[in-house]
Amino acid sequence: MRGQMMEQPLLISSLIRHAEAYHGDTAIVSRALEGGIHRYTWGEAAVRARQLANALLGLGVGPGDRVGTLAWNGYRHLEAYYAISGVEAVCHTINPRLFAEQIVYIINHAEDRVLMFDLTFLPLIAQIRPQLTTVRHFVLMSDREHLPRPVSNDEVLCYEDLVASHSDSFEWPAFDEDTAAGLCYTSGTTGSPKGVLYSHRSTVLHALASSLPDSLHVSAESCIMPVVPMFHVNGWGLPYSCAMNGAKLVLPGAKMDAVNLFELIESEEVTMAAGVPTIWLMLLQHCEQNHLRIRSLKRVIVGGAAAPESMIEQLAEHGVELRQLWGMTELSPCGTTSTPKFHHRDLDREAMCRLHMRQGRPIYGVDIRIVDDGGLPLPHDGKAFGNLQVRGPWVLAQYFRQEAASPAHTADGWFNTGDVSTIDPDGYMKITDRTKDVIKSGGEWISSIDLENIMVGHPAVAEAAAIGIEHPKWDERPLMVVVLKPGAAAAREELLAFFGGKIAKWWTPDDVVIVNELPHTATGKLQKMRLREMFRDYRWPQA
Ligand code: ADP
């Protein structure tokens, strides 16, 4: 027997329609790239998104066409999110922090037909334009005053002119909810960047589940600032979940430094903000140096990399709760959050801190498990660690334009995350490594992340990376590569002794090497592959 309820496709346009109808007066505040603060409402954003939708149709954008954006967190980017997917095209957010040749590869691979970009990226566009084979229209997301001179209309179109010259009379069309809506490429730490193609259904379901109190807790009572860029996995879905819930939205533009972020938090009374650990380290340092207190902020969501213990403690001193978020581009991105359970309510500060150092438990819709190298499921006892696999309605099924069956998927339909983790009986997952970074010593695994977390706790250490180096007896043993803080000094023996009592003895690195810097990707992630290459000829002291 079938249910007898209305059938309505889950479309992204329903989010902006809802925000316009029931939260029309709620503010959206952006730090404008032209300078100053731009202020309007969800109601006005919806009107301009409809004008832009008409403009896109005028440029010949049709169903399935990819429209690229190279833009920061700002109101025009928000309008583009809704207008592009609303006309059944695909909003392809491009990460400008990648190397120019990767950006060219991504735009050509996606076959973007229109490219919309912020003022900041004018020089980049001028540089790469000759290599872009599919783009027919370039749109500068600014006003006429900021168009490059001499103005030539067929070279670069002006966003504000496009919006102003089109009516807002437009009905968001209805279509199949499985239609593609967004495209985001992984950063490509291994091989070429791969495209993840989100659907309307996956995006709306992800917005619903990630809004829940145990997920990101998005509400009309909140003022939310995504510091995570909108070119990075849809700003963790916040541009969608804030519309769904009618939250006040604060978009920090290109100035993501501590002074500007602190000022926005204070002036707009931001209650929740989301971003990678580096951002919060920067902000906390700024507060400490200038004796500032964070007042309105109640919660920060930290993801993309593990949140260090000291950050959790320092935020708590400001009265700010930290929630760790684990996710991936392939997961839209939300997978787990570290929200405590009822029975954790009496945990003391230290135990609560330990809880938040785990990446968290699955939000509804996401299933997780760990398996050994043979694919056999491992117990959720908080001790066994293995390859982390996930499944769910907003988890990638196949990379964009990849013809062959996905090697990242198991025969029974799970996605291999490439992370190694434990899962405890309460369901809290803790990342111990990336699959390719785990150190295999005598048939046992050693977590490079645990070693690094301990090493950066040493007062002289600025950055640390642990890698497995071939060993005649144990297959591999851990080598610690360390960058010291400016002006600091520490001997090898002192650094090795620092592990004493903190981990099982056999986990202790066999050697520490001090270097001036560690290799990073364009997005600032540690490049372990490069590091392993750099130490290919390394020999153990005793060997
Ligand atoms: P992101 O854009 O969030 O970095 P990517 O898809 O580029 O997403 O990278 C995802 C990877 O980042 C994960 O597989 C994991 O290794 C790492 N990661 C994400 N969140 C966390 C976290 N909270 N703690 C530790 N590692 C994380």
Side-chain angles (χ1 to χ4, degrees):
M1 187 183 282
R2 286 181 65 83
Q4 295 183 314
M5 308 309 279
M6 290 186 189
E7 228 170 71
Q8 277 192 11
L10 300 174
L11 298 178
I12 289 171
S13 54
S14 68
L15 303 175
I16 191 88
R17 271 203 284 115
H18 174 84
E20 182 178 22
Y22 306 108
H23 304 279
D25 290 338
T26 300
I28 299 172
V29 180
S30 309
R31 196 179 282 288
L33 294 180
E34 295 88 351
I37 296 284
H38 176 274
R39 223 171 257 288
Y40 71 165
T41 61
W42 277 108
E44 288 166 280
V47 169
R48 280 171 52 95
R50 289 200 298 275
Q51 288 175 287
L52 181 61
N54 273 325
L56 290 171
L57 295 179
L59 291 178
V61 172
D65 281 345
R66 270 79 71 196
V67 177
T69 65
L70 263 170
W72 301 103
N73 294 8
Y75 63 103
R76 295 190 184 104
H77 202 184
L78 183 74
E79 292 158 10
Y81 261 49
Y82 284 101
I84 296 167
S85 61
V87 300
E88 228 181 315
V90 178
C91 180
H92 171 206
T93 51
I94 303 157
N95 183 346
R97 293 194 181 128
L98 297 176
F99 300 112
E101 62 267 30
Q102 285 177 312
I103 295 177
V104 169
Y105 169 86
I106 285 173
I107 295 173
N108 287 339
H109 187 265
E111 299 182 345
D112 289 339
R113 190 176 161 126
V114 176
L115 188 56
M116 304 171 68
F117 59 96
D118 269 342
L119 262 179
T120 334
F121 305 117
L122 258 173
L124 174 69
I125 295 295
Q127 178 199 339
I128 65 177
R129 191 171 175 153
Q131 299 164 64
L132 303 180
T133 51
T134 60
V135 180
R136 296 198 201 151
H137 302 287
F138 292 84
V139 181
L140 175 69
M141 296 168 89
S142 187
D143 49 29
R144 177 147 284 266
E145 220 178 289
H146 292 87
L147 270 190
R149 304 198 181 271
V151 179
S152 158
N153 278 344
D154 54 15
E155 274 205 324
V156 176
L157 300 171
C158 167
Y159 184 96
E160 285 304 327
D161 283 359
L162 279 176
V163 168
S165 60
H166 286 85
S167 144
D168 72 330
S169 126
F170 181 77
E171 280 290 325
W172 297 111
F175 43 82
D176 181 357
E177 64 183 19
D178 286 320
T179 303
L183 177 63
C184 186
Y185 280 71
T186 60
S187 47
T189 34
T190 49
S192 294
K194 296 186 284 278
V196 181
L197 189 63
Y198 310 109
S199 68
H200 282 259
R201 175 186 157 81
S202 74
T203 306
V204 172
L205 287 177
H206 176 267
L208 256 177
S210 64
S211 298
L212 292 171
D214 277 15
S215 309
L216 306 189
H217 198 156
V218 181
S219 153
E221 288 184 315
S222 358
C223 171
I224 295 179
M225 179 165 77
V227 184
V228 50
M230 286 166 68
F231 53 74
H232 203 135
V233 215
N234 302 319
W236 296 351
L238 287 165
Y240 300 121
S241 52
C242 285
M244 172 178 275
N245 293 282
K248 176 179 171 185
L249 187 59
V250 177
L251 300 170
K255 291 187 176 165
M256 309 256 205
D257 59 282
V259 175
N260 278 293
L261 291 178
F262 185 83
E263 192 195 286
L264 265 185
I265 293 172
E266 284 291 292
S267 59
E268 299 305 324
E269 298 180 81
V270 171
T271 60
M272 195 269 264
V276 293
T278 339
I279 295 286
W280 312 118
L281 283 177
M282 235 170 49
L283 191 75
L284 285 166
Q285 237 170 35
H286 173 68
C287 289
E288 195 181 317
Q289 282 161 2
N290 299 286
H291 311 290
L292 300 169
R293 207 174 153 72
I294 304 171
R295 287 180 305 178
S296 59
L297 206 56
K298 296 198 170 53
R299 174 177 300 185
V300 298
I301 309 286
V302 181
E309 187 176 355
S310 56
M311 178 188 298
I312 303 174
E313 281 168 356
Q314 281 179 50
L315 282 168
E317 279 163 25
H318 281 270
V320 182
E321 273 182 356
L322 175 144
R323 290 276 186 278
Q324 183 148 187
L325 165 74
W326 170 84
M328 303 178 76
T329 307
E330 287 88 338
L331 264 83
S332 305
C334 297
T336 66
T337 59
S338 65
T339 311
K341 291 183 173 178
F342 184 68
H343 72 79
H344 291 131
R345 67 195 178 286
D346 294 327
L347 285 188
D348 62 24
R349 204 164 150 160
E350 218 173 283
M352 193 56 97
C353 181
R354 276 201 303 277
L355 183 133
H356 287 303
M357 283 174 72
R358 291 176 235 166
Q359 276 65 26
R361 55 191 166 82
I363 63 178
Y364 164 77
V366 174
D367 242 347
I368 61 173
R369 71 173 186 186
I370 42 175
V371 300
D372 65 15
D373 276 346
L376 287 177
L378 293 166
H380 293 187
D381 58 7
K383 293 189 189 79
F385 59 103
N387 301 306
L388 176 65
Q389 300 183 333
V390 296
R391 64 179 179 193
W394 51 86
V395 177
L396 160 119
Q398 175 101 14
Y399 287 103
F400 182 54
R401 298 184 56 193
Q402 187 182 59
E403 307 303 330
S406 165
H409 289 81
T410 65
D412 56 346
W414 291 76
F415 171 71
N416 258 315
T417 62
D419 284 328
V420 175
S421 77
T422 60
I423 302 175
D424 75 11
D426 262 334
Y428 289 80
M429 182 272 286
K430 184 167 176 12
I431 302 265
T432 54
D433 243 313
R434 297 288 292 164
T435 314
K436 55 191 185 308
D437 296 338
V438 76
I439 300 162
K440 295 181 177 169
S441 172
E444 300 286 342
W445 290 7
I446 298 175
S447 156
S448 67
I449 292 183
D450 280 0
L451 298 183
E452 288 155 10
N453 281 344
I454 293 171
M455 194 76 288
V456 293
H458 188 284
V461 173
E463 203 181 358
I467 50 172
I469 296 274
E470 220 177 287
H471 190 280
K473 183 166 175 199
W474 301 109
D475 295 336
E476 274 183 357
R477 288 293 301 154
L479 170 73
M480 202 77 215
V481 188
V482 164
V483 178
L484 295 179
K485 287 183 183 158
R492 170 184 178 273
E493 289 69 26
E494 180 192 336
L495 293 172
L496 286 176
F498 193 68
F499 288 93
K502 297 190 177 81
I503 37 164
K505 219 162 169 211
W506 65 274
W507 274 39
T508 308
D510 284 19
D511 195 12
V512 175
V513 176
I514 296 169
V515 295
N516 290 332
E517 60 175 339
L518 291 169
H520 293 102
T521 64
T523 52
K525 289 200 177 188
L526 196 61
Q527 257 183 326
K528 287 256 177 104
M529 219 154 57
R530 277 270 330 272
L531 193 64
R532 277 190 288 266
E533 269 166 34
M534 284 161 57
F535 281 86
R536 207 180 29 214
D537 299 328
Y538 171 87
R539 294 285 169 271
W540 293 113
Q542 66 272 34

